[in-house]
């Protein structure tokens, strides 16, 4: 949400129609689904049986994304308006100096929470003995508070990017005298590395290693269980009760294998979401601000992709948990879940 495709009075005339299509039609639909998905995830997480540590991470990422959806409503209205749109002074001040900090803060915090969850998942698969030492509530709270403060510090200078002018009425414009300096370029490179590139690289690497390691564990467990069932089938006298017992074991094995394969698919989807939706936003923030039509198209698309990521990522994470996945299915089919 870095406002990479800045509104300008000198933007090409054919950009106005594209701006209206993206910000007045497509992104409001994404935003509506994002509010629905994050609210649904919040309800499902609240009714789950997860421990307090997992819930602290889950609530943090859901609430940050839900808050982002709410704050994106005035942002979309502003982005869909004409570049010289007039505002009251408090509204213009909010859009220029407060809104960029809040949106980027929440978006980056969501990515950092996702990174914390990926680190714990990675350690639980690679080093299970170490996982029990770091998987404590005090460490989770410290990680969340530190991430929250760090993300705010990273984006505080965004206050300087936009300015408000009053030739006839208050309007928002980009501060060209600020963004053209070398110091601002250094800040943008540093902030995008800390907010997007470094966390996303770590997320992709950790989750890919976790996926391959988890797949090996699943295959090994499946072979061992299949061999055990086959051995019991050979060594057990054939009768109806024994055949029923063996059939039940095969059904449990099949269901467990399906659940684990579903988790692998969701983890793969998470990696794709991060790579496709977050990284291009960082690239767009590093680009200069020409007036070419292609630049505006790229800026509009990456902002839509980033909003889409924060709309669906909470639901993807919730579906990775077996208990929440079962409860979500019950909620969709309007059946009660036994506690």
């Amino acid at each position: 949400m870095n406002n990479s495709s800045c509104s300008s009075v000198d933007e090409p005339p054919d950009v106005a129609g594209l701006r209206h299509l993206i910000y007045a039609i497509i992104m409001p639909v994404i935003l509506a689904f994002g509010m629905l998905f994050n609210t649904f995830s919040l309800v499902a997480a609240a009714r789950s049986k997860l421990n307090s540590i997992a819930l602290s991470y889950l609530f943090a990422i859901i609430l940050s994304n839900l808050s982002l959806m709410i704050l994106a409503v005035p942002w979309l209205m502003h982005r869909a308006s004409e570049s010289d749109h007039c505002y009251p002074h408090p509204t213009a001040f909010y859009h220029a100096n407060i809104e960029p900090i809040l949106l980027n803060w929440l978006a980056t915090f969501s990515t950092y929470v996702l990174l914390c969850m990926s680190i714990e998942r990675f350690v639980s698969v690679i080093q299970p003995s170490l996982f029990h030492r770091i998987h404590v509530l005090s460490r989770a709270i410290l990680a969340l508070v530190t991430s929250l403060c760090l993300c705010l510090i990273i984006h505080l200078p965004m206050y300087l990017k936009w300015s408000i002018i009053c030739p006839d009425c208050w309007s928002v414009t980009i501060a060209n005298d600020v963004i053209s300096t070398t110091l601002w370029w250094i800040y943008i490179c540093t902030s995008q590395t800390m907010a997007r590139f470094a966390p996303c690289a770590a997320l992709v690497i950790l989750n890919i290693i976790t996926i391959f390691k988890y797949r090996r564990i699943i295959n090994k467990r499946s072979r061992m269980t299949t061999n055990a069932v086959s051995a019991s089938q050979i060594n057990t006298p054939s009768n109806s009760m024994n055949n029923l017992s063996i059939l039940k074991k095969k059904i449990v094995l099949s269901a467990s294998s399906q659940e684990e394969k579903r988790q692998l698919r969701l983890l793969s989807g998470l990696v794709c979401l991060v790579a496709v939706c977050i990284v291009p936003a960082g690239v767009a923030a590093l680009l200069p601000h020409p007036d070419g039509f292609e630049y505006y198209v790229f800026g509009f698309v990456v902002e839509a992709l980033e909003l889409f990521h924060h709309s669906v990522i909470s639901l993807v994470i919730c579906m990775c948990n077996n208990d929440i996945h079962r409860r979500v299915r019950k909620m969709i089919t309007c059946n009660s879940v036994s506690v």
Side-chain angles (χ1 to χ4, degrees):
M1 316 294 289
N2 51 27
N3 291 337
S4 54
S5 52
C6 58
S7 181
S8 169
V9 293
D10 299 322
E11 69 182 17
D14 49 355
V15 168
L18 181 62
R19 177 183 295 277
H20 177 78
L21 173 66
I22 297 293
Y23 292 102
I25 299 175
I26 296 178
M27 291 183 73
V29 174
I30 298 175
L31 187 64
F33 278 104
M35 289 185 176
L36 177 63
F37 290 158
N38 282 283
T39 303
F40 194 72
S41 301
L42 186 63
V43 174
R47 298 175 62 181
S48 70
K49 297 179 180 179
L50 294 177
N51 59 54
S52 57
I53 304 167
L55 278 177
S56 63
Y57 286 125
L58 196 54
F59 279 135
I61 194 168
I62 293 174
L63 290 175
S64 64
N65 287 328
L66 187 58
S67 301
L68 182 63
M69 297 297 110
I70 295 172
L71 291 176
V73 174
W75 173 76
L76 275 182
M77 296 172 64
H78 167 59
R79 302 289 286 137
S81 63
E82 297 294 332
S83 56
D84 55 352
H85 186 78
C86 291
Y87 297 102
H89 181 268
T91 305
F93 180 81
Y94 170 77
H95 285 308
N97 302 125
I98 299 178
E99 187 177 65
I101 297 175
L102 291 179
L103 293 177
N104 284 283
W105 178 30
L106 291 171
T108 306
F109 177 63
S110 173
T111 304
Y112 270 59
V113 176
L114 187 59
L115 177 60
C116 292
M117 299 174 74
S118 297
I119 291 173
E120 289 220 347
R121 186 186 299 112
F122 172 81
V123 174
S124 68
V125 173
I126 304 298
Q127 290 288 340
S129 58
L130 178 62
F131 174 72
H132 293 293
R133 293 203 297 270
I134 69 170
H135 190 66
V136 292
L137 184 59
S138 58
R139 287 181 181 270
I141 294 175
L142 178 62
L144 291 174
V145 172
T146 303
S147 299
L148 194 66
C149 296
L150 179 61
C151 294
L152 179 61
I153 293 172
I154 290 173
H155 294 295
L156 275 178
M158 291 294 291
Y159 177 90
L160 302 172
K161 183 178 180 179
W162 299 85
S163 61
I164 53 177
I165 56 176
C166 184
D168 300 312
C169 60
W170 293 105
S171 59
V172 180
T173 184
I174 195 165
N176 288 303
D177 57 332
V178 173
I179 67 170
S180 59
T181 62
T182 304
L183 190 60
W184 181 260
W185 170 251
I186 295 173
Y187 160 70
I188 288 296
C189 292
T190 304
S191 65
Q192 293 307 310
T193 299
M194 296 180 65
R196 291 186 171 90
F197 297 133
C200 289
L203 275 167
V204 170
I205 294 172
L206 289 176
N207 280 286
I208 288 177
I209 296 174
T210 302
I211 288 170
F212 281 102
K213 179 67 174 178
Y214 192 34
R215 182 172 293 169
R216 286 197 296 268
I217 293 174
I218 291 173
N219 292 336
K220 182 178 179 181
R221 185 190 304 154
S222 178
R223 287 194 302 268
M224 292 174 62
T225 308
T226 303
N227 292 337
V229 171
S230 300
S232 64
Q233 188 174 7
I234 294 172
N235 298 327
T236 304
S238 178
N239 58 57
S240 59
M241 292 300 295
N242 290 333
N243 290 338
L244 181 60
S245 176
I246 293 172
L247 180 60
K248 287 182 178 179
K249 289 181 181 180
K250 290 183 177 180
I251 292 174
V252 170
L253 174 62
S254 177
S256 176
S257 177
Q258 291 298 323
E259 288 290 334
E260 290 167 338
K261 289 179 181 178
R262 177 184 57 80
Q263 289 186 358
L264 286 176
R265 287 195 296 267
L266 288 171
L267 282 177
S268 301
L270 186 149
V271 171
C272 294
L273 272 175
V274 169
V276 173
C277 298
I278 301 297
V279 175
V283 174
L286 295 178
L287 294 177
H289 295 276
D291 294 328
F293 180 76
E294 295 80 7
Y295 167 78
Y296 286 96
V297 172
F298 181 65
F300 295 158
V301 170
V302 298
E303 286 185 344
L305 284 174
E306 191 170 18
L307 184 64
F308 174 77
H309 166 83
H310 293 290
S311 298
V312 302
I313 193 65
S314 299
L315 188 61
V316 172
I317 295 172
C318 285
M319 298 301 284
C320 285
N321 180 268
N322 290 334
D323 178 58
I324 295 181
H325 177 255
R326 180 176 60 86
R327 290 174 181 274
V328 167
R329 291 179 61 183
K330 294 288 186 180
M331 291 168 64
I332 292 175
T333 56
C334 300
N335 293 330
S336 61
V337 181
S338 57
V339 179

